Amino acid sequence: MSIQLLSDLVVAQIAAGEVVERPASVVKELVENALDAGAKSVHVEATEGGQKLIRVSDDGSGISLDDVEYAFARHATSKLASVEDLNTIRTLGFRGEALASIASVSRLTATTRSRGEDVGTQLTIHGGEVMNHRHVGAPAGTVIAVENLFFNTPARLKFLKAESTEKRHITTVVTRYAMAYPNVRFTLVQDSREVFRSAGRGQLADVVVKVMGLDVFKQMIEVDSEDPLPRFGGAVQVNGYVSEPDLNRNDRSRMTLFVNGRVVQDGGLNHAVSQAYHQLAVKGRHPYAVLMIDVPTEFVDVNVHPTKAEVRFQDQNAVFVAVQRAVRSALLNVQNAYRVHTQSNYEPRQESRAHWSDSPEQLGMDLPSASKGRFPEPDLSFADLDDDDIAIPEGVGQPVKPRTLPVLRVVGQIGATYIIAEGPAGMYLVDQHTAHQRILYQTLLDALESGDEFSVELPEIQTIDLLSPQARLLEANLTVLNNIGFEIEPFGNNTYAIRRIPYLLEKHRLIDVIAAFMTDFQGETEIEDLIKRVAEQAAIRAGQVLSPEDMQQLIRQLERCPSPQTSPYGQATIIHMTAEQIAYQFRH
Ligand code: ADP
Ligand code: MG
């Protein structure tokens, strides 16, 4: 084939692959446009998880007659004229790609009237081709209806998840923007049912209650602080809500961070929030958070990624520190208030909100400390939990430490997190996540030693974009990564192409996998460290319900590991109570 310039349609469809990954991305782009147009009210409708229909209506500025066709051209935007404008960008959009991309992979109808004009326009585009363009009467504002998304890109269509998953993603997008813009009224209707509505009265708290529910909101703490930016001028403002330390989850799905009104997925910022809970909450758990981080526009680069989910700050560290400090001080204020109450005979919370996947202390379990010959009262205050307390309180389970495990019989699962088993020497409580880490780590070590293949080829080559410091780290560790089953190649400009990955990580999002490795990379990273990380990533999570067969299988495999008592990171996998210890608890 000779070299040819790609047609506009093909270019748009390729770009659509970046911008519109799924129905929720269409919702995101259309909602952002509505907000940029100054809408006070945004109404979103979706049918069949957005695949049949997505309709976003707003009462914003509308698009004038002369501009309508431009709006659908690639790289056409009213929000940016020069590269310098990027420094001071205040709108959510600026790339001028979304409408053209969406129109190239759907049947789209735009109905719009500019506030200053008497007549509106209706434009119909099918798969990038303008079908109809006529004048219509319409209220001021814009309605964009997107039908049959991906009808002409079957490959995309195939990758759509179950309808329920797509519906959930759409709800997430709308509720997040509702929180970021409390003065805009949002409604979301899915399959003719109203699933969300915000009042638009400007109160973040109102919206957070709507999104998270009153029960959760009652356990949230307000964050409101401002830190001057050293050297740069201006300040980092952090506002919003974070959960009390004992309300937490084992994933980050309830952490929503906004930078200058834009939802961002930033590992560093998320980490800053989690770090603020250091020694207040159990390690490895993540809080609920809704935080608005505002910085001077010149201080942040939003043009890092097509979906604009990543941002770059002129001084990353200053922002992380400000966020961490803001959350920390909010948490400590509340803690101090709690202590004062306790001293003045205030009845402290006796029933700790037990989360099954938390440490035994938090479960209110009075586990014996046989090594000290006494049985301490459970300490329910979160303040004393140390970093390493996650799996095993000091002394508990120490006395009996067989080199390998006896044959165990699975009794059941608690809280979808721990497996209870019975053996000749009493009861065993197995943490499914740390135990599975040990098993996978051993499997990988064995495979490495025997030279077994443990990498798979991805169905299609994937690329990831990194920030340049991360790219340098990755670059320095390509060899060791390739030794553990990755096949990664530089693809220019901080982008990497990935062909193969360890099979255990097949189902994982690549960017998450790579992000997890970032914490391990050092001057000369040991292969063992990376294998540990693979095991940790691939291991069954807390909260996953296991069948009796699965549990039995897991226990069998654990029995065969050389050091079944700890995870590769040294966390306990098993708490053992002898029959005597149990009897003592009942004082028989
Ligand atoms: P961008 O938002 O990056 O500018 P889009 O492709 O999303 O690119 O939109 C192109 C242009 O169409 C916008 O710059 C804006 O002028 C116009 N536009 C899109 N949606 C709306 C809307 N809901 N209300 C008013 N103008 C809109
Ligand atoms: Mg846009």
Side-chain angles (χ1 to χ4, degrees):
M1 210 159 94
S2 59
I3 299 180
Q4 295 175 350
L5 277 178
L6 296 174
S7 73
D8 285 352
L9 177 61
V10 175
V11 173
Q13 286 184 346
I14 291 173
E18 290 182 329
V19 186
V20 247
E21 187 197 349
R22 58 183 347 150
S25 353
V26 172
V27 174
K28 169 180 178 288
E29 295 295 339
L30 298 181
V31 167
E32 288 189 350
N33 282 347
L35 291 167
D36 283 345
K40 286 278 144 244
S41 167
V42 179
H43 179 69
V44 181
E45 278 170 77
T47 315
E48 294 180 8
Q51 205 194 309
K52 186 144 181 246
L53 168 75
I54 293 166
R55 182 160 43 217
V56 176
S57 323
D58 70 58
D59 60 355
S61 64
I63 310 175
S64 68
L65 292 174
D66 295 342
D67 284 347
V68 171
E69 284 211 32
Y70 276 131
F72 288 88
R74 250 174 80 68
H75 305 307
T77 178
S78 57
K79 303 169 190 174
L80 183 78
S82 68
V83 178
E84 287 74 49
D85 289 353
L86 265 181
N87 292 330
T88 51
I89 200 86
R90 287 183 191 282
T91 50
L92 293 163
F94 54 80
R95 298 173 66 106
E97 275 182 330
L99 286 185
S101 300
I102 297 167
S104 73
V105 292
S106 69
R107 303 180 205 277
L108 182 149
T109 308
T111 313
T112 183
R113 179 168 71 81
S114 162
R115 293 214 164 263
E117 294 173 338
D118 303 332
V119 187
T121 319
Q122 189 166 66
L123 183 67
T124 311
I125 305 180
H126 285 181
E129 209 178 309
V130 177
M131 308 301 282
N132 193 348
H133 186 173
R134 62 193 181 105
H135 290 186
V136 290
T142 304
V143 180
I144 307 246
V146 176
E147 289 169 277
N148 300 69
L149 184 64
F150 300 138
F151 78 98
N152 54 352
T153 50
R156 279 276 150 188
L157 205 54
K158 234 179 32 212
F159 278 101
L160 285 188
K161 295 273 159 32
E163 196 178 307
S164 55
T165 310
E166 298 301 340
K167 282 171 84 162
R168 207 178 59 236
H169 280 281
I170 291 173
T171 304
T172 304
V173 167
V174 174
T175 52
R176 284 184 167 170
Y177 278 106
M179 292 191 287
Y181 295 81
N183 47 7
V184 176
R185 183 151 37 94
F186 280 87
T187 40
L188 171 62
V189 172
Q190 297 227 48
D191 295 323
S192 312
R193 217 168 60 82
E194 180 175 302
V195 294
F196 177 77
R197 166 184 293 269
S198 70
R201 275 196 293 265
Q203 299 302 320
L204 174 61
D206 284 355
V207 193
V208 176
V209 169
K210 282 277 164 86
V211 175
M212 302 208 166
L214 190 57
D215 282 347
V216 167
F217 184 71
K218 278 192 197 145
Q219 299 172 57
M220 303 218 24
I221 299 165
E222 187 169 2
V223 178
D224 180 8
S225 78
E226 186 175 312
D227 251 17
L229 275 173
R231 292 195 302 279
F232 192 82
V236 184
Q237 289 185 355
V238 186
N239 292 295
Y241 295 90
V242 294
S243 57
E244 288 175 4
D246 56 351
L247 174 65
N248 52 47
R249 292 173 61 89
N250 55 20
D251 58 33
R252 293 199 168 89
S253 64
R254 301 299 149 87
M255 283 171 76
T256 311
L257 308 187
F258 304 85
V259 171
N260 292 359
R262 196 183 290 284
V263 178
V264 296
Q265 238 92 49
D266 185 299
L269 287 178
N270 283 339
H271 187 65
V273 175
S274 298
Q275 269 296 103
Y277 286 74
H278 183 64
Q279 300 209 330
L280 296 177
V282 180
K283 198 177 168 190
R285 306 277 304 173
H286 304 284
Y288 290 55
V290 179
L291 289 176
M292 314 291 157
I293 302 161
D294 287 291
V295 297
T297 49
E298 317 85 278
F299 189 73
V300 58
D301 180 3
V302 290
N303 189 25
V304 183
H305 194 263
T307 62
K308 302 174 234 123
E310 288 171 26
V311 293
R312 204 176 303 165
F313 301 103
Q314 294 211 5
D315 180 353
Q316 305 275 93
N317 202 40
V319 180
F320 298 160
V321 169
V323 169
Q324 191 178 330
R325 202 179 305 171
V327 176
R328 183 84 180 170
S329 72
L331 292 172
L332 292 181
N333 279 341
V334 172
Q335 276 233 311
N336 290 338
Y338 174 70
R339 288 221 184 84
V340 173
H341 283 315
T342 323
Q343 277 157 12
S344 59
N345 263 343
Y346 176 84
E347 199 49 30
R349 288 171 300 188
Q350 274 306 331
E351 70 344 322
S352 107
R353 274 180 293 269
H355 295 278
W356 280 109
S357 40
D358 284 340
S359 73
E361 283 142 309
Q362 289 201 328
L363 300 181
M365 273 190 183
D366 192 358
L367 291 173
S369 167
S371 59
K372 292 188 190 136
R374 63 185 180 88
F375 295 86
E377 287 301 5
D379 178 2
L380 295 178
S381 80
F382 41 72
D384 298 327
L385 277 182
D386 209 322
D387 262 357
D388 300 318
D389 284 356
I390 179 157
I392 191 162
E394 209 224 325
V396 174
Q398 307 290 350
V400 188
K401 213 169 193 177
R403 211 181 278 275
T404 51
L405 283 182
V407 175
L408 299 181
R409 182 180 73 83
V410 169
V411 178
Q413 192 184 22
I414 324 180
T417 299
Y418 302 112
I419 300 167
I420 300 197
E422 182 199 31
M427 184 191 85
Y428 295 78
L429 207 49
V430 177
D431 179 317
Q432 65 194 39
H433 179 58
T434 52
H436 199 217
Q437 277 181 48
R438 164 57 68 192
I439 294 165
L440 295 179
Y441 178 66
Q442 197 59 45
T443 313
L444 289 171
L445 273 189
D446 293 347
L448 200 64
E449 205 166 280
S450 59
D452 288 350
E453 181 67 59
F454 55 86
S455 101
V456 287
E457 194 167 334
L458 293 171
E460 48 182 312
I461 295 176
Q462 295 203 34
T463 57
I464 52 165
D465 295 324
L466 298 175
L467 303 178
S468 48
Q470 297 172 332
R472 276 197 299 277
L473 266 181
L474 186 75
E475 191 85 51
N477 287 283
L478 281 182
T479 318
V480 66
L481 281 170
N482 289 350
N483 286 340
I484 63 158
F486 282 93
E487 200 178 303
I488 306 183
E489 284 167 17
F491 203 61
N493 209 5
N494 298 340
T495 302
Y496 291 84
I498 306 187
R499 284 168 208 282
R500 300 181 72 88
I501 56 168
Y503 74 89
L504 286 174
L505 300 176
E506 215 179 340
K507 300 251 152 53
H508 289 60
R509 258 182 21 139
L510 270 176
I511 192 74
D512 295 342
V513 170
I514 299 298
F517 282 118
M518 290 293 165
T519 53
D520 295 309
F521 291 149
Q522 310 156 355
E524 257 196 297
T525 313
E526 297 287 327
I527 198 162
E528 273 81 0
D529 288 334
L530 296 192
I531 290 184
K532 275 184 204 170
R533 190 60 67 192
V534 174
E536 193 253 337
Q537 293 262 300
I540 296 168
R541 302 274 139 188
Q544 196 168 325
V545 178
L546 302 178
S547 70
E549 291 74 21
D550 290 343
M551 291 190 273
Q552 197 66 56
Q553 167 91 356
L554 191 142
I555 298 289
R556 285 290 95 81
Q557 292 176 332
L558 187 64
E559 283 163 5
R560 284 197 287 269
C561 289
S563 334
Q565 306 273 346
T566 55
S567 78
Y569 288 111
Q571 292 169 319
T573 53
I574 304 169
I575 293 175
H576 173 211
M577 281 178 86
T578 63
E580 291 75 16
Q581 286 170 331
I582 296 172
Y584 189 90
Q585 285 296 291
F586 290 110
R587 313 287 197 270
H588 289 319

